[in-house]
Amino acid sequence: ASPLIVKDEVVGVLQFRSRTPNAFGESVVRVVENVANHVAGSMANARLHAEVQSESQERTVLAEVGRVVSSSPDIHDIYKRFADLVKDIIPCDRISIGLMDQTGHATRLTYVTGVVIPSIGEKSMIGLAGSLNDKVMSERKGLIVQDLSMEELEKEYPPMVAGYRAGLRSAIGVPLVANDQVIGCLQFRSLSETAYTAEHLDLAERISGQISGVIANSELR
């Protein structure tokens, strides 16, 4: 194994492994170091290029989301297009929007697309007690929930167990805030065990900021 070094910074490791006992001597180590020196710059450039492309795609999608959500006063008219767009930058198998009901004790599942959760469809009422929506809305900040067993989920977020049984393993929840008032929660869920990163959470919060006002106006209308 040899470090990959670019501009005096370690950016990775190049590793060779063999089934043969004692396969590598010092001469091979020197060769591997030379190879690592030659490829480190190219690998770093490839990574930088991929990051630039990803950032460019994110900016393009966010701009298009902004255009789409401002194209209609009724979010029902553009929800499918919105969902298709955000899937390009946030991996998800189900997207849902739950809005706070008038009692303040439940959310109404107003918009949903993707994996079907039996008994929890559009217009379903979901109690806030012990829910991801409750934590996200009360703390007014986004949250990632992933890499938990069903037993752990039952303890922390019981309402998410139905989705777990449907195969959904990861989730992002972000608050929807309009006129400085929390009106609901936007959720992304994935079949992958560890689908989400802090970058995905940041994107989800930016998307929430773009659609919250439109949703509030649509509901008022």
Side-chain angles (χ1 to χ4, degrees):
S2 175
L4 295 165
I5 301 173
V6 179
K7 294 181 180 177
D8 215 24
E9 179 185 353
V10 178
V11 298
V13 176
L14 174 64
Q15 186 179 105
F16 295 84
R17 301 184 72 173
S18 174
R19 291 191 175 94
T20 304
N22 303 313
F24 305 128
E26 282 300 314
S27 61
V28 177
V29 173
R30 302 286 81 79
V31 171
V32 172
E33 288 177 337
N34 285 331
V35 172
N37 289 335
H38 278 87
V39 303
S42 297
M43 289 185 174
N45 288 337
R47 184 180 67 174
L48 180 61
H49 179 67
E51 289 174 353
V52 169
Q53 281 191 317
S54 177
E55 289 173 2
S56 176
Q57 182 191 25
E58 289 166 4
R59 285 195 299 270
T60 299
V61 169
L62 288 171
E64 183 64 8
V65 166
R67 189 193 68 78
V68 167
V69 298
S70 62
S71 66
S72 172
D74 189 341
I75 196 168
H76 285 90
D77 296 339
I78 52 88
Y79 183 69
K80 185 180 184 306
R81 176 62 180 148
F82 158 77
D84 288 341
L85 280 170
V86 298
K87 285 178 183 178
D88 287 339
I89 56 175
I90 299 179
C92 55
D93 299 290
R94 178 181 170 94
I95 305 174
S96 64
I97 293 175
L99 299 181
M100 183 90 74
D101 80 336
Q102 293 180 345
T103 69
H105 300 302
T107 51
R108 173 171 45 89
L109 196 57
T110 313
Y111 314 102
V112 61
T113 183
V115 171
V116 175
I117 300 177
S119 76
I120 304 178
E122 201 163 286
K123 298 183 180 178
S124 294
M125 297 296 291
I126 303 171
L128 282 178
S131 70
L132 175 60
N133 283 4
D134 186 32
K135 190 171 181 64
V136 165
M137 291 191 295
S138 62
E139 296 185 1
R140 295 175 70 110
K141 67 178 183 180
L143 186 67
I144 296 174
V145 177
Q146 60 186 8
D147 203 23
L148 297 180
S149 67
M150 189 161 75
E151 291 74 20
E152 291 171 321
L153 209 57
E154 281 178 325
K155 289 181 181 178
E156 294 190 41
Y157 303 104
M160 296 183 73
V161 170
Y164 188 98
R165 291 194 177 109
L168 297 166
R169 297 292 186 266
S170 301
I172 289 179
V174 291
L176 295 162
V177 182
N179 298 320
D180 202 33
Q181 190 171 28
V182 178
I183 62 171
C185 179
L186 169 64
Q187 277 196 30
F188 300 86
R189 299 188 71 173
S190 171
L191 298 170
S192 173
E193 292 280 354
T194 52
Y196 300 122
T197 64
E199 182 182 355
H200 292 132
L201 180 57
D202 177 64
L203 286 169
E205 289 175 334
R206 291 163 69 184
I207 289 168
S208 168
Q210 286 186 309
I211 68 171
S212 294
V214 176
I215 292 173
N217 291 337
S218 181
E219 288 298 299
L220 182 62
R221 180 172 174 271

